[in-house]
Amino acid sequence: MSYTKGLQEVGDGLDAYLQPDGGWGWSNAGLVVDGERTLLIDTLFDLALTDEMLRTMRDAVPTAARIDTLVNTHANGDHCYGNQLLGDARIIASEPTAQEMTELPPAAMAALVKQAPSMGELGAFFLDCFGSFDFGGIELALPRETFSGELSIELGDRELRLIEVGPAHTRGDTLVHVAADRVLYSGDILFAQAHPIAWAGPVSHWIDACDRILEMDPEVIVPGHGPLAGPHDVRELRSYFQYLYSEATRRHAEGMTPLQAARSISLDRWADWRESERLVVNIANIFAELSETEPLDPLAAFEQMAALKRSS
Ligand SMILES: [Zn+2]
């Protein structure tokens, strides 16, 4: 299937909304329709993008004029900053996601973008990532319902399962599985054809999440970013993390910094994956797991990525 902007059918009453090129902030979303009932999986990074998506959905599926339920797969703004446009929809997220959503308010992102031009290399990289989005006017609508572990949702005649697999990419990552149709909406547990980024980790837990997806045996996976994917992409991601884990462990024992390790690890098999600067954050996350310390905070993570980008 082609990777173009807009809605793509992935099953009967199941759609993906894709935003090429899938880079920083360019996230995907999902729509599930059964009879009169509609469920949206994630909103987008700003109000204009979310509004455009909702209009596209309404044009294609009249029932989508009113969305009953919204699931946020995790707390990153590119999956929830548009929530306020859903009115009184039931908003569901895992407990840790709901908690984490209160921690980086859209106003803080707006302030960072404003300050970025005076922040040197870090600011330039930050603008590269987030300069095309408009964080003004966003009043983040938080989940009104939370769950832990798993939650089954009935939508018309359909059953959807929300499965918490975090902490991995973030603290509360959630998969949305439509088992009867073998479709999985993975959120950012899968970045198709791009490097993942372990904000929370541990990476070993993310590897477990990959195994869990493979056991579900989905036919189509709607990734959090990038083109439509399948189990092959999850196996590639698992191999990437396993390889990184062993290479990083050796370099950790040699006393390297994450940046030194990132510069010295050869990535032939994944050389065409986008956003390779994320490698340093993933290595730092593995180092933190090995030394039982906290992972990098987001600002430190962006500093490390900007430094890796400069040197590569
Ligand atoms: Zn994302």
Side-chain angles (χ1 to χ4, degrees):
M1 266 186 267
S2 65
Y3 182 36
T4 49
K5 181 178 167 175
L7 273 183
Q8 271 195 38
E9 201 175 353
V10 292
D12 182 24
L14 302 170
D15 283 283
Y17 185 84
L18 306 178
Q19 291 196 103
D21 55 10
W24 287 102
W26 297 104
S27 51
N28 298 328
L31 180 68
V32 182
V33 178
D34 196 302
E36 294 299 302
R37 306 284 312 280
T38 50
L39 178 141
L40 179 69
I41 298 154
D42 285 341
T43 56
L44 306 179
F45 215 174
D46 68 23
L47 300 179
L49 289 171
T50 304
D51 183 56
E52 184 185 4
M53 171 178 78
L54 292 173
R55 279 189 280 112
T56 303
M57 288 177 170
R58 274 196 292 270
D59 288 346
V61 189
T63 325
R66 190 188 175 281
I67 290 181
D68 311 299
T69 307
L70 165 66
V71 176
N72 289 126
T73 58
H74 64 288
N76 288 165
D78 52 338
H79 300 263
C80 66
Y81 276 4
N83 280 8
Q84 78 201 63
L85 298 185
L86 273 295
D88 60 355
R90 172 188 182 202
I91 307 179
I92 308 177
S94 70
E95 183 62 45
T97 289
Q99 177 67 36
E100 198 177 341
M101 274 170 71
T102 62
E103 292 173 17
L104 185 61
M109 282 297 284
L112 269 170
V113 167
K114 212 169 159 188
Q115 284 167 27
S118 62
M119 288 165 68
E121 176 184 88
L122 171 63
F125 176 55
F126 197 80
L127 280 180
D128 266 0
C129 298
F130 303 122
S132 0
F133 305 98
D134 177 7
F135 301 111
I138 304 177
E139 304 273 352
L140 186 54
L142 295 170
R144 302 180 179 115
E145 191 181 327
T146 61
F147 72 98
S148 293
E150 295 197 18
L151 178 71
S152 171
I153 298 184
E154 303 218 334
L155 192 84
D157 292 333
R158 226 183 254 283
E159 194 200 10
L160 278 70
R161 284 198 87 69
L162 311 191
I163 303 162
E164 185 185 357
V165 292
H169 169 63
T170 64
R171 272 182 262 150
D173 305 293
T174 295
L175 310 172
V176 181
H177 190 208
V178 192
D181 298 84
R182 296 183 63 204
V183 170
L184 182 79
Y185 296 90
S186 68
D188 284 1
I189 287 295
L190 181 65
F191 288 80
Q193 294 169 26
H195 285 254
I197 181 162
W199 293 118
V203 162
S204 53
H205 202 220
W206 200 330
I207 293 172
D208 295 343
C210 291
D211 286 329
R212 203 139 170 218
I213 292 176
L214 293 170
E215 278 163 25
M216 294 173 196
D217 194 26
E219 203 169 282
V220 180
I221 301 174
V222 179
H225 295 252
L228 294 175
H232 167 77
D233 300 272
V234 177
R235 279 192 289 273
E236 279 299 293
L237 175 65
R238 184 177 61 181
S239 301
Y240 164 95
F241 275 139
Q242 284 167 337
Y243 170 74
L244 216 57
Y245 211 97
S246 76
E247 295 291 312
T249 301
R250 194 152 52 80
R251 285 162 176 81
H252 182 257
E254 287 167 8
M256 283 191 189
T257 64
L259 201 53
Q260 288 167 336
R263 286 174 181 140
S264 74
I265 292 176
S266 142
L267 278 178
D268 304 343
R269 183 167 160 190
W270 301 279
D272 59 343
W273 277 10
R274 303 174 45 100
E275 284 84 52
S276 58
E277 64 273 14
R278 294 172 179 167
L279 179 64
V280 69
V281 179
N282 296 331
I283 292 168
N285 196 282
I286 294 168
F287 279 20
E289 186 178 356
L290 294 171
S291 54
E292 295 179 30
T293 53
E294 288 296 307
L296 294 177
D297 65 60
L299 204 61
F302 273 99
E303 275 166 1
Q304 294 281 302
M305 287 189 282
L308 180 60
K309 232 184 155 172
R310 180 189 50 205
S311 65
S312 58

